[in-house]
Amino acid sequence: MAATLQGKRIAFLAADGVEEVEYTRPREAVENAGARVELVSLKPGSIQSFNHLDQSAQYPVDVTTKEADAGAYDALVLPGGVANPDFLRTDPDAVRFVRSFFDAGKPVGVICHGPWTLVEAGVVRGRRITSWPSLRTDLTNAGATWVDEQVVTDNGLVSSRKPGDLPAFCSKIVEEFAEGKH
């Protein structure tokens, strides 16, 4: 039987510059499994997604990082894109929001450049993780063990490298989010 996320509330934390497929495909996967999703971002209105370096669609923000409470959610997803996590990691409210999921032992999914925000939140030390290859040094310097694998799970943290990994990433986050706390 497929994992179900019925009754679960999942936060997606993203800002302008998010890689569109790294937002839309995981969101579709958790919604198809029954979850309710909210887009959390730095400011009200909408965020601008990208398809690599080309602007793509805009997506409406449900709640800002200043107002968001990690306690209201069962899990968190951090999509990539180069600019998106760079904006997030400079926002103290976004960093606090991310750290709160780890403090509570809630599952988190992160892909591509998304781990930059995890580094800023100080939550990767001692963890096994993957990402876009250019983040390897940042993650290693922050105390993580970086590996080049399609999908890596470490005590509720699911990570993947790139859009090509999305099928495995989406399947694994649904499975981990169904299991709940770690």
Side-chain angles (χ1 to χ4, degrees), residues 101-113:
F101 281 87
F102 286 85
D103 290 348
K106 293 181 180 182
V108 174
V110 63
I111 188 166
C112 200
H113 289 79

Side-chain angles (χ1 to χ4, degrees), residues 44-116:
S46 62
I47 60 169
Q48 177 66 59
S49 72
F50 279 73
N51 179 5
H52 192 52
L53 298 176
D54 298 321
Q55 281 192 357
S56 194
Q58 292 192 359
Y59 294 93
V61 172
D62 296 302
V63 64
T64 65
T65 53
K66 187 173 285 311
E67 303 163 333
D69 173 14
Y73 300 97
D74 298 293
L76 172 66
V77 176
L78 292 152
V82 178
N84 164 52
D86 202 44
F87 290 136
L88 294 173
R89 69 183 177 166
T90 62
D91 181 78
D93 292 317
V95 172
R96 171 199 48 80
F97 185 67
V98 169
R99 191 177 302 115
S100 296
F101 281 87
F102 286 85
D103 290 348
K106 293 181 180 182
V108 174
V110 63
I111 188 166
C112 200
H113 289 79
W116 266 337

Side-chain angles (χ1 to χ4, degrees), residues 119 124-126 129 134-146:
V119 168
V124 297
R125 180 166 303 286
I129 191 169
S134 66
L135 275 68
R136 178 183 185 163
T137 300
D138 298 328
L139 287 162
T140 302
N141 287 343
T145 300
W146 187 88

Side-chain angles (χ1 to χ4, degrees), residues 1-10 12 26-37 74-75 77 107 170-180:
M1 182 176 175
T4 180
L5 299 179
Q6 209 61 43
K8 302 260 185 185
R9 190 170 170 203
I10 312 296
F12 274 68
R27 180 174 180 144
E28 179 181 279
V30 298
E31 285 178 335
N32 287 345
R36 191 173 92 202
V37 171
D74 298 293
V77 176
C170 291
S171 174
K172 194 56 157 172
I173 62 171
V174 168
E175 179 185 320
E176 286 293 309
F177 294 178
E179 290 178 17

